[in-house]
Amino acid sequence: MIERNFYKDRKSKLYHHNEEEIHLKSYIFGNGIRLIASLAGITCLALLFENSRMDNTSIVVLYVLAAILTARFTEGYIFGIIASVSSMFIYNFFFIDPRYTFAVGQKMYTLSFAVMVGVSLLAAGITSKLKKKVDAEKIQAKKMEMLYRTDGSFLKARDREQVVENCGENLVNILGKTILITIADERRNLMEPHVYICNNNGSENLFKLVKEREIIKECFRTGKTKGVGVKVNPSTYQKTGIKEEGSNAYYVPIKGNYLTLGVIGVACYKREILSDEEKKIIKIVAEQTAIALERENIYARRHRAIIEGEGEKLVQKINRITGSDYATLDDFLYDNSTVNKVNDEN
């Protein structure tokens, strides 16, 4: 197994990670600072406006703005919710009589607070949703750009090894996961796999398991997707004897026009199921790889045919000059080698 290491920024929004992968302390601290800064800034601004004899309605609008700003500059919905609820208490503490307490002097303020929190939550929720949508579109655009570059890199590849290298490197860059690629040789046997390790998190070790190796072979044999998130037919185990349940990777065949050329494997850390978008990207890259491999195979066969043709012409020329009847160039070289002459003399 040939391995190469790649190190990607885990904070990059290009990659999808589980919540447990996020460092909890830095997550809370970073977003908490933004939340406090937003509420503190709006409170200072509200106190300044109050000294200018601005009515309370304008101050309420400022705190709704605080919830929107928090939702915009923090991760997830939770901090927008905290900002919405906190705004109500801060507004009550600084601007509602009796001041500098959390007591509510008049019952009419209860309804006002409920409306204030409701509007803040709605605004924060819409802002968070729009932010996620914009981020998703940016990620999609980035991935499409990488796919375009992947296609360009395949066109520049000079042999099958470079095709495999380009495929592995680009999938690591796009998905941020450890990738395995294995292709078939001329005898239809899978060659030694190339593993492109992302962030050295140990996920590459799963490809060394006997069960995973058997699933890779089955994926190559059947030309069908295997692994995590793929429904398994109960009769499959009876036919093949391979337990596909519990796999820790997602395998996609590299399918040419007539034959399966190889397999791409994506390590799924803790059996994480890939999104439909990620599966689509893997399929697209597999198709690009298949086209590039078939092109290289055609070139290799053509190059070999040219060499064989030139060899036949050379043998004919030698036979014509020497009056011999050599069938191949190897026969001529053997007859005229130093070792053969020594044996003849002995």
Side-chain angles (χ1 to χ4, degrees):
M1 183 178 290
I2 303 171
E3 298 180 349
R4 288 188 59 189
N5 285 282
F6 294 84
Y7 296 93
K8 301 297 170 187
D9 184 6
R10 285 185 171 271
K11 297 180 181 178
S12 173
K13 294 181 182 178
L14 184 61
Y15 311 122
H16 302 284
H17 298 282
N18 295 330
E19 289 296 321
E20 63 187 8
E21 290 187 29
I22 301 173
H23 199 290
L24 188 59
K25 288 184 179 179
S26 61
Y27 175 75
I28 294 175
F29 180 77
N31 289 291
I33 289 295
R34 297 186 189 99
L35 168 65
I36 294 171
S38 176
L39 292 175
I42 290 296
T43 300
C44 293
L45 190 61
L47 290 171
L48 182 63
F49 283 174
E50 187 192 31
N51 293 333
S52 302
R53 298 180 181 180
M54 183 171 288
D55 59 3
N56 285 350
T57 304
S58 300
I59 296 175
V60 170
V61 172
L62 285 176
Y63 279 105
V64 173
L65 176 62
I68 294 174
L69 290 174
T70 302
R72 169 63 183 83
F73 294 105
T74 56
E75 301 291 333
Y77 293 100
I78 184 64
F79 292 98
I81 294 172
I82 294 173
S84 300
V85 176
S86 300
S87 295
M88 178 193 70
F89 287 108
I90 295 172
Y91 175 68
N92 180 31
F93 187 82
F94 285 104
F95 303 103
I96 299 297
D97 295 327
R99 299 198 176 200
Y100 309 117
T101 67
F102 291 106
V104 180
Q106 300 180 28
K107 292 184 179 181
M108 61 175 289
Y109 285 120
T110 304
L111 179 60
S112 299
F113 290 156
V115 172
M116 177 182 175
V117 173
V119 172
S120 297
L121 288 173
L122 181 62
I126 292 173
T127 303
S128 294
K129 189 173 290 186
L130 287 174
K131 179 189 173 186
K132 283 192 173 183
K133 186 176 180 180
V134 170
D135 289 343
E137 289 177 353
K138 288 181 179 179
I139 292 171
Q140 182 67 16
K142 185 69 174 177
K143 287 182 177 179
M144 290 302 106
E145 181 185 351
M146 286 186 170
L147 284 174
Y148 178 78
R149 291 180 180 176
T150 301
D151 195 31
S153 66
F154 284 145
L155 292 174
K156 297 177 182 178
R158 296 181 179 179
D159 52 38
R160 286 156 53 96
E161 286 293 322
Q162 281 195 2
V163 171
V164 172
E165 286 286 315
N166 291 338
C167 177
E169 291 179 12
N170 285 301
L171 275 177
V172 169
N173 287 328
I174 295 171
L175 299 175
K177 300 178 186 297
T178 296
I179 303 296
L180 172 142
I181 302 174
T182 179
I183 58 176
D185 58 19
E186 294 179 353
R187 297 182 180 180
R188 303 292 301 152
N189 295 319
L190 288 176
M191 298 171 66
E192 186 177 12
H194 291 66
V195 177
Y196 301 85
I197 304 168
C198 182
N199 292 323
N200 203 24
N201 59 4
S203 57
E204 70 278 3
N205 294 322
L206 68 90
F207 291 124
K208 300 176 182 178
L209 299 176
V210 175
K211 179 179 69 175
E212 298 295 336
R213 291 296 186 93
E214 293 300 323
I215 295 175
I216 291 171
K217 292 177 182 178
E218 185 65 12
C219 177
F220 176 73
R221 187 185 69 82
T222 61
K224 294 181 179 180
T225 302
K226 302 289 181 181
V228 176
V230 178
K231 292 183 180 179
V232 180
N233 191 333
S235 63
T236 302
Y237 175 67
Q238 298 176 356
K239 294 179 181 179
T240 64
I242 300 172
K243 291 185 178 180
E244 297 181 17
E245 298 90 345
S247 175
N248 292 284
Y250 181 77
Y251 300 102
V252 175
I254 303 172
K255 299 178 72 173
N257 289 329
Y258 305 103
L259 297 171
T260 302
L261 305 176
V263 175
I264 296 175
V266 182
C268 300
Y269 187 63
K270 296 186 177 179
R271 304 199 73 247
E272 174 190 3
I273 296 178
L274 300 177
S275 67
D276 292 338
E277 181 187 348
E278 289 173 325
K279 291 177 181 178
K280 184 178 179 181
I281 288 173
I282 298 167
K283 184 178 179 182
I284 292 172
V285 174
E287 291 173 353
Q288 292 176 333
T289 305
I291 293 171
L293 286 174
E294 287 194 324
R295 186 188 67 240
E296 292 303 321
N297 289 340
I298 292 171
Y299 175 80
R301 287 196 295 269
R302 184 181 300 170
H303 185 65
R304 187 162 56 248
I306 291 172
I307 293 175
E308 290 175 355
E310 292 296 328
E312 289 177 0
K313 290 179 181 178
L314 184 59
V315 170
Q316 292 174 2
K317 198 172 186 179
I318 292 171
N319 289 338
R320 192 165 57 248
I321 294 172
T322 61
S324 303
D325 189 22
Y326 294 113
T328 65
L329 186 61
D330 290 337
D331 294 338
F332 169 75
L333 294 174
Y334 177 76
D335 282 349
N336 291 274
S337 65
T338 304
V339 175
N340 192 40
K341 289 181 179 179
V342 171
N343 290 335
D344 291 341
E345 290 175 359
N346 294 334

